[in-house]
Amino acid sequence: MDINNKKATRQSYGEALVELGKINENIVVLDADLAEATKTKLFKEEFPDRFFDMGIAEQDMISTSAGLATCGKIPFATSFAVFATGRAYDQIRNNICYPNLNVKICGTHAGITVGEDGATHQMLEDINIMRGLPNMIVMSPSDDIQTKWAVKEASKIKGPVYIRVARLATPIIYDEKTEFEVGKAVMFGEGKDATIFATGTMVAEALKAKEELEKENIFVRVVDFHTIKPIDKEIIIKCAKETKKLISIEEHNIIGGLGTAISEVLVENYPKNLVRMGMKDCFGKSGNAIKLLEYFKLTSKDIIKIVSQFSD
Amino acid sequence: MLNDIELQNFKNIAHNVRQSIIEMVYNAKSGHPGGSLSITDILTVLYFKEMNIASPDDENRDRLVLSKGHCSTALYAILAEKGFIPKEDLKTFRKIDSYLQGHPDMNKIPGVDMTTGSLGQGLSVSNGMAIAGKLDKKDYRVYCILGDGEIEEGQIWESAMTSAHYKLDNLCVIVDNNNLQIDGKIEEVMNSIPIDKKFESFGFNTIVINGHDYNQILDAFEIAKQTKGKPTAIIAKTIKGKGISYMENKVEWHGKAPNDDEYKLAIQDLMNI
């Protein structure tokens, strides 16, 4: 991972839609007046007839997507994560998940790295509410390469998929040849001192921490959960057995997100303590994205601090 | 104008549908007879004259979204008349082993084009179907039945904007204007009147009709088909509980099942029409 080679996953999402549009004419994209920010404008420019701006009306956007799906289209309904999932929850539940319709929902600008816009726009509960819906698959890719894979893969799944991406540019972790599988997390290293389970923007932070810790002869492994539902049970149990300590980190409330999903697996299969890093049941605030990560203790340094405490 | 034979045919079908509605609600000891009876005549014209549906699986079929999904009894009854579901299955409505769910379920029931139940969402879904039809250059039409209480949901007006913005002239909205919702008269609970003016100002071609007059219903659908460049909204003035003397215009029959005596009386009422 070259930490200076960065791209925002929302940009990758927009680029992936264009590629997908070229190979599948059933792909249609809907946005709610945020095409510039969510990067769906890339698709709009290439395929104006298959792009629908629904105006500032997320509920209408989601239900319209359901109607399109009943007629064989594969809609990608897009907005900021807070509006795409929160504002339109009932529509997602009753129009998409219950009838199991082939609609993809992408929430961009997830987490606190939205930055200056502040708490109203920083979605910290989307994994929680999307994960709780039967039939819904939840994806939270960590970099450019993985996001492009997730978008393509989502289009092949016949049913609802939620894809969570971020505003902030983050390091490109994978090379283009990397292969992923839905529901199979990616493990970095085999360190036995601790496992850091991470998702989305936090994977790069975890990898930075891993590298730093190695200099002090502390060996951790990092697990990248690009899919949160279905969760990769095997890897959680394996890491619980093989490593001394477990940490989860996410740009999401610690209630209901990745940490909770991992806890559910642990408690039923291999009870073991888990330190959940994330937003501690609080809302975000305005500020520079990097400074916010520091403020809410979601950086590689904070991970290192917690792992070092274990060794003391 | 319908000839006498066609008119009599519609009356017979509507009679059967109303009888099925009463029987279903009576057997299930729950359900929504009032609003089902008010849309019966409209559904009769749609399914036995207006809509092009040789088979419920045909990709080119006309679609219907019953946005006021609680009136599932009317939809199931008409689908049974049409032969898409066996008539004897209606007895199982709302029972634990039945596929006939309390609210329409597209994956369980042949002929149901969209799962509905949570109000205010069906027009958006219909828009999606209409947009898909235009994209695919298919000439099917989409019908969407809304309740007059249902249009208090804000999403209805988001979707009304969309219908007009995307010039969905392959879409026809029918508002079942029976003037009653659970808590009382619509103008007393949350006034949505004037409904026609609202849809008109949102860019619809609007037509106000008597929703129990077969000729008026048919004429309105004909105007809708001929209207290009904009969607049509038919405001159908109806009577909640239509056909059952003690249910007509009575809000308490929105979501209630008749007891044994009331059931007998209802069946008698239907004989007399």
Side-chain angles (χ1 to χ4, degrees), chain A residues 87-139:
Chain A
R87 184 75 178 233
Y89 175 76
D90 184 54
Q91 287 75 8
I92 297 174
R93 179 185 191 275
N94 285 310
N95 296 163
I96 295 175
C97 289
Y98 175 48
N100 200 16
L101 287 171
N102 197 17
V103 176
K104 318 304 160 189
I105 297 158
C106 182
T108 68
H109 296 62
I112 52 165
T113 48
V114 167
E116 291 79 356
D117 276 353
T120 54
H121 285 53
Q122 294 163 342
M123 187 39 150
L124 302 169
E125 311 92 53
D126 53 335
I127 296 176
N128 188 10
I129 58 177
M130 292 298 100
R131 201 170 75 85
L133 287 167
N135 292 332
M136 182 65 97
I137 285 171
V138 179
M139 301 179 91

Coordinates of all heavy atoms in Angstrom, one line a residue, chain A residues 87-139:
Chain A
R87 N -33.4 8.4 5.4 CA -34.6 9.0 4.9 C -35.6 8.1 4.3 O -36.8 8.2 4.4 CB -34.2 10.1 3.9 CG -35.4 11.0 3.4 CD -35.8 12.0 4.5 NE -36.8 12.8 4.0 CZ -36.8 14.2 4.1 NH1 -35.7 14.8 4.6 NH2 -37.8 14.9 3.7
A88 N -35.1 7.1 3.6 CA -35.9 6.2 2.8 C -36.0 4.8 3.4 O -36.2 3.8 2.7 CB -35.4 6.1 1.4
Y89 N -35.8 4.6 4.7 CA -35.8 3.3 5.3 C -37.0 2.4 5.0 O -36.9 1.3 4.6 CB -35.6 3.4 6.8 CG -35.6 2.1 7.5 CD1 -34.5 1.2 7.4 CD2 -36.8 1.6 8.2 CE1 -34.6 -0.1 8.0 CE2 -36.8 0.4 8.7 CZ -35.7 -0.5 8.6 OH -35.8 -1.7 9.2
D90 N -38.2 3.0 5.2 CA -39.4 2.2 5.0 C -39.6 1.8 3.6 O -40.0 0.7 3.3 CB -40.6 3.1 5.4 CG -41.9 2.3 5.3 OD1 -42.0 1.2 5.9 OD2 -42.9 2.7 4.7
Q91 N -39.1 2.7 2.6 CA -39.2 2.3 1.2 C -38.2 1.2 0.9 O -38.6 0.3 0.1 CB -38.9 3.6 0.3 CG -39.9 4.6 0.3 CD -40.1 5.5 1.6 OE1 -39.2 5.4 2.5 NE2 -41.1 6.3 1.7
I92 N -37.1 1.2 1.5 CA -36.1 0.1 1.3 C -36.7 -1.2 1.9 O -36.6 -2.2 1.2 CB -34.7 0.5 1.9 CG1 -34.1 1.7 1.3 CG2 -33.8 -0.7 1.8 CD1 -32.8 2.2 1.9
R93 N -37.2 -1.0 3.0 CA -37.8 -2.2 3.7 C -38.9 -2.9 2.9 O -38.9 -4.0 2.5 CB -38.3 -1.9 5.1 CG -38.9 -3.1 5.8 CD -39.5 -2.6 7.2 NE -39.8 -3.8 8.0 CZ -40.9 -4.4 7.9 NH1 -41.9 -4.1 7.0 NH2 -41.2 -5.5 8.7
N94 N -39.9 -2.0 2.6 CA -41.2 -2.6 2.0 C -41.2 -2.7 0.5 O -41.9 -3.5 0.0 CB -42.4 -1.7 2.5 CG -42.7 -2.0 4.0 OD1 -42.8 -3.2 4.3 ND2 -42.8 -1.0 4.8
N95 N -40.5 -1.8 -0.2 CA -40.5 -1.9 -1.7 C -39.3 -2.7 -2.2 O -39.4 -3.1 -3.4 CB -40.4 -0.5 -2.3 CG -41.6 0.4 -1.9 OD1 -41.6 1.6 -2.1 ND2 -42.7 -0.2 -1.5
I96 N -38.3 -2.8 -1.5 CA -37.1 -3.5 -2.0 C -36.8 -4.8 -1.3 O -36.7 -5.9 -1.9 CB -35.9 -2.6 -2.1 CG1 -36.2 -1.4 -3.0 CG2 -34.6 -3.3 -2.5 CD1 -35.1 -0.3 -3.0
C97 N -36.6 -4.8 0.0 CA -36.2 -6.0 0.7 C -37.3 -7.0 0.8 O -37.0 -8.2 0.6 CB -35.6 -5.6 2.1 SG -34.0 -4.8 1.9
Y98 N -38.5 -6.6 1.2 CA -39.5 -7.6 1.4 C -39.8 -8.3 0.0 O -39.8 -9.5 0.0 CB -40.8 -7.0 2.0 CG -41.9 -7.9 2.1 CD1 -41.8 -9.2 2.6 CD2 -43.2 -7.5 1.7 CE1 -42.9 -10.1 2.6 CE2 -44.3 -8.4 1.7 CZ -44.1 -9.7 2.2 OH -45.2 -10.5 2.2
P99 N -40.0 -7.5 -1.1 CA -40.2 -8.2 -2.3 C -38.9 -8.7 -3.0 O -39.0 -9.3 -4.0 CB -40.9 -7.2 -3.2 CG -40.7 -5.9 -2.6 CD -40.3 -6.1 -1.2
N100 N -37.8 -8.5 -2.3 CA -36.5 -9.0 -2.8 C -36.2 -8.6 -4.2 O -35.8 -9.3 -5.0 CB -36.5 -10.6 -2.7 CG -35.1 -11.1 -2.7 OD1 -34.1 -10.4 -2.4 ND2 -34.9 -12.4 -3.0
L101 N -36.4 -7.3 -4.4 CA -36.2 -6.7 -5.8 C -34.7 -6.4 -6.0 O -33.9 -6.1 -5.1 CB -37.1 -5.5 -6.0 CG -38.5 -5.9 -6.2 CD1 -39.4 -4.6 -6.2 CD2 -38.8 -6.7 -7.5
N102 N -34.4 -6.4 -7.3 CA -33.0 -6.3 -7.7 C -32.5 -4.8 -7.8 O -32.2 -4.3 -8.9 CB -32.8 -7.0 -9.1 CG -31.4 -7.3 -9.5 OD1 -30.5 -7.3 -8.6 ND2 -31.1 -7.5 -10.7
V103 N -32.5 -4.2 -6.6 CA -32.1 -2.8 -6.6 C -30.8 -2.7 -5.8 O -30.6 -3.3 -4.7 CB -33.2 -1.9 -5.9 CG1 -32.7 -0.5 -5.7 CG2 -34.5 -2.0 -6.7
K104 N -29.9 -1.9 -6.3 CA -28.6 -1.6 -5.6 C -28.7 -0.2 -5.0 O -29.1 0.8 -5.7 CB -27.4 -1.7 -6.5 CG -27.4 -2.8 -7.5 CD -27.6 -4.2 -6.8 CE -28.1 -5.2 -7.8 NZ -28.5 -6.5 -7.2
I105 N -28.4 0.0 -3.7 CA -28.4 1.3 -3.1 C -27.0 1.6 -2.7 O -26.3 0.8 -2.1 CB -29.3 1.3 -1.8 CG1 -30.7 0.9 -2.2 CG2 -29.3 2.6 -1.1 CD1 -31.6 0.4 -1.1
C106 N -26.6 2.8 -3.2 CA -25.2 3.2 -2.8 C -25.3 4.5 -1.9 O -25.9 5.5 -2.3 CB -24.3 3.5 -4.0 SG -22.7 3.9 -3.5
G107 N -24.7 4.4 -0.7 CA -24.6 5.5 0.2 C -23.2 6.0 0.1 O -22.3 5.4 0.6
T108 N -23.0 7.2 -0.4 CA -21.7 7.8 -0.4 C -21.6 8.7 0.8 O -22.6 8.9 1.5 CB -21.5 8.7 -1.7 OG1 -22.4 9.8 -1.7 CG2 -21.8 7.9 -3.0
H109 N -20.5 9.3 1.1 CA -20.3 10.2 2.2 C -20.7 9.6 3.5 O -21.4 10.2 4.3 CB -21.1 11.5 2.0 CG -20.6 12.3 0.8 ND1 -20.7 11.8 -0.5 CD2 -20.1 13.6 0.7 CE1 -20.2 12.7 -1.3 NE2 -19.8 13.8 -0.6
A110 N -20.3 8.3 3.7 CA -20.6 7.6 4.9 C -19.6 8.0 6.0 O -18.5 8.3 5.6 CB -20.6 6.1 4.7
G111 N -20.0 8.0 7.3 CA -19.1 8.2 8.3 C -18.7 9.7 8.6 O -19.3 10.6 8.0
I112 N -17.8 9.9 9.5 CA -17.5 11.3 9.9 C -16.6 12.0 8.9 O -16.4 13.2 8.9 CB -16.8 11.4 11.3 CG1 -15.6 10.4 11.4 CG2 -17.8 11.1 12.4 CD1 -14.7 10.7 12.6
T113 N -15.9 11.2 8.0 CA -15.0 11.8 7.1 C -15.7 12.7 6.0 O -15.1 13.2 5.1 CB -14.1 10.8 6.4 OG1 -14.9 9.7 5.9 CG2 -13.0 10.3 7.4
V114 N -17.0 12.8 6.1 CA -17.8 13.8 5.4 C -17.1 15.2 5.7 O -17.0 16.1 4.9 CB -19.3 13.8 5.8 CG1 -20.0 15.1 5.3 CG2 -19.9 12.6 5.3
G115 N -16.7 15.3 7.0 CA -16.0 16.5 7.4 C -16.9 17.7 7.8 O -17.8 17.6 8.6
E116 N -16.6 18.8 7.1 CA -17.1 20.1 7.5 C -18.7 20.2 7.5 O -19.2 21.0 8.3 CB -16.6 21.2 6.5 CG -15.1 21.5 6.7 CD -14.2 20.5 6.0 OE1 -14.7 19.5 5.5 OE2 -13.0 20.7 6.0
D117 N -19.4 19.4 6.8 CA -20.8 19.5 6.8 C -21.4 19.1 8.1 O -22.5 19.5 8.5 CB -21.4 18.6 5.7 CG -21.5 19.2 4.3 OD1 -21.2 20.4 4.3 OD2 -21.8 18.5 3.3
G118 N -20.7 18.3 8.9 CA -21.1 18.1 10.3 C -22.1 16.9 10.4 O -22.4 16.1 9.5
A119 N -22.6 16.8 11.7 CA -23.3 15.7 12.2 C -24.6 15.3 11.3 O -24.8 14.1 11.2 CB -23.8 15.9 13.6
T120 N -25.3 16.2 10.8 CA -26.5 15.9 10.1 C -26.2 15.1 8.8 O -27.1 14.4 8.3 CB -27.3 17.1 9.6 OG1 -26.4 18.0 8.9 CG2 -27.9 17.9 10.8
H121 N -25.0 15.3 8.3 CA -24.6 14.6 7.1 C -23.7 13.4 7.3 O -23.3 12.8 6.3 CB -24.0 15.6 6.1 CG -25.0 16.6 5.5 ND1 -25.9 17.3 6.2 CD2 -25.2 16.9 4.2 CE1 -26.6 18.0 5.4 NE2 -26.3 17.7 4.1
Q122 N -23.3 13.2 8.5 CA -22.3 12.1 8.8 C -23.1 10.9 9.2 O -23.5 10.7 10.3 CB -21.3 12.6 9.8 CG -20.4 13.7 9.4 CD -19.8 14.4 10.5 OE1 -20.2 14.3 11.7 NE2 -18.7 15.2 10.2
M123 N -23.2 9.9 8.3 CA -24.1 8.7 8.6 C -23.2 7.7 9.4 O -22.2 7.2 8.9 CB -24.6 8.1 7.3 CG -25.6 7.0 7.5 SD -26.8 7.3 8.9 CE -28.2 6.4 8.3
L124 N -23.7 7.4 10.6 CA -23.0 6.5 11.5 C -23.9 5.3 11.9 O -23.5 4.5 12.7 CB -22.6 7.2 12.7 CG -21.7 8.4 12.5 CD1 -21.6 9.3 13.8 CD2 -20.4 8.0 12.0
E125 N -25.1 5.1 11.2 CA -26.0 4.1 11.6 C -26.4 3.2 10.4 O -27.3 2.3 10.5 CB -27.2 4.6 12.3 CG -27.0 5.6 13.4 CD -27.0 7.1 12.9 OE1 -27.9 7.5 12.2 OE2 -26.0 7.8 13.1
D126 N -25.9 3.5 9.2 CA -26.4 2.8 8.0 C -26.1 1.3 8.0 O -26.9 0.6 7.6 CB -25.9 3.5 6.8 CG -24.3 3.7 6.7 OD1 -23.7 3.7 7.8 OD2 -23.8 3.8 5.7
I127 N -24.9 0.9 8.5 CA -24.6 -0.5 8.5 C -25.6 -1.2 9.4 O -26.2 -2.2 9.0 CB -23.2 -0.8 9.0 CG1 -22.2 -0.2 8.0 CG2 -22.9 -2.3 9.1 CD1 -20.7 -0.3 8.4
N128 N -25.9 -0.6 10.5 CA -26.8 -1.1 11.5 C -28.2 -1.3 10.8 O -28.8 -2.4 10.9 CB -26.9 -0.2 12.6 CG -27.8 -0.7 13.8 OD1 -28.1 -1.9 13.8 ND2 -28.1 0.1 14.7
I129 N -28.8 -0.3 10.2 CA -30.2 -0.4 9.7 C -30.2 -1.3 8.5 O -31.2 -2.0 8.3 CB -30.9 0.9 9.6 CG1 -30.2 1.9 8.6 CG2 -31.1 1.6 10.9 CD1 -30.9 3.2 8.4
M130 N -29.2 -1.2 7.6 CA -29.2 -2.1 6.4 C -29.0 -3.5 6.7 O -29.6 -4.4 6.1 CB -28.2 -1.6 5.4 CG -28.5 -0.2 4.8 SD -30.1 -0.1 3.9 CE -31.2 0.6 5.0
R131 N -28.2 -3.8 7.7 CA -27.8 -5.1 8.1 C -29.1 -5.8 8.7 O -29.2 -7.1 8.7 CB -26.7 -5.0 9.2 CG -25.9 -6.2 9.5 CD -24.7 -5.8 10.3 NE -25.1 -5.6 11.7 CZ -25.2 -6.6 12.6 NH1 -25.0 -7.9 12.3 NH2 -25.6 -6.3 13.9
G132 N -29.9 -5.1 9.3 CA -31.1 -5.6 10.0 C -32.2 -6.0 9.0 O -33.3 -6.5 9.5
L133 N -32.0 -5.7 7.8 CA -33.1 -6.0 6.8 C -32.9 -7.4 6.1 O -31.9 -7.6 5.5 CB -33.1 -5.0 5.7 CG -33.7 -3.6 6.1 CD1 -33.4 -2.5 5.1 CD2 -35.2 -3.7 6.4
P134 N -33.9 -8.3 6.2 CA -33.8 -9.6 5.5 C -33.6 -9.3 4.0 O -34.1 -8.3 3.5 CB -35.1 -10.2 5.8 CG -35.6 -9.6 7.0 CD -35.1 -8.2 7.0
N135 N -32.8 -10.2 3.4 CA -32.5 -10.2 1.9 C -31.4 -9.2 1.6 O -30.9 -9.2 0.4 CB -33.7 -9.9 1.0 CG -34.7 -11.0 1.1 OD1 -34.4 -12.2 1.3 ND2 -36.0 -10.7 0.8
M136 N -31.1 -8.2 2.4 CA -30.1 -7.2 2.1 C -28.7 -7.7 2.3 O -28.3 -8.3 3.3 CB -30.3 -6.0 2.9 CG -29.4 -4.8 2.6 SD -29.7 -4.1 1.0 CE -30.8 -2.8 1.3
I137 N -27.8 -7.5 1.2 CA -26.4 -7.7 1.4 C -25.7 -6.4 1.6 O -26.1 -5.4 1.0 CB -25.9 -8.4 0.1 CG1 -26.4 -9.9 0.1 CG2 -24.4 -8.3 0.0 CD1 -26.1 -10.6 -1.2
V138 N -24.8 -6.3 2.5 CA -24.2 -5.0 2.9 C -22.7 -5.1 2.6 O -22.0 -5.9 3.1 CB -24.4 -4.7 4.4 CG1 -23.7 -3.4 4.8 CG2 -25.9 -4.6 4.7
M139 N -22.3 -4.2 1.7 CA -20.8 -4.1 1.3 C -20.2 -2.8 1.7 O -20.9 -1.7 1.6 CB -20.7 -4.3 -0.2 CG -21.3 -5.6 -0.7 SD -21.2 -5.9 -2.4 CE -19.6 -6.7 -2.5

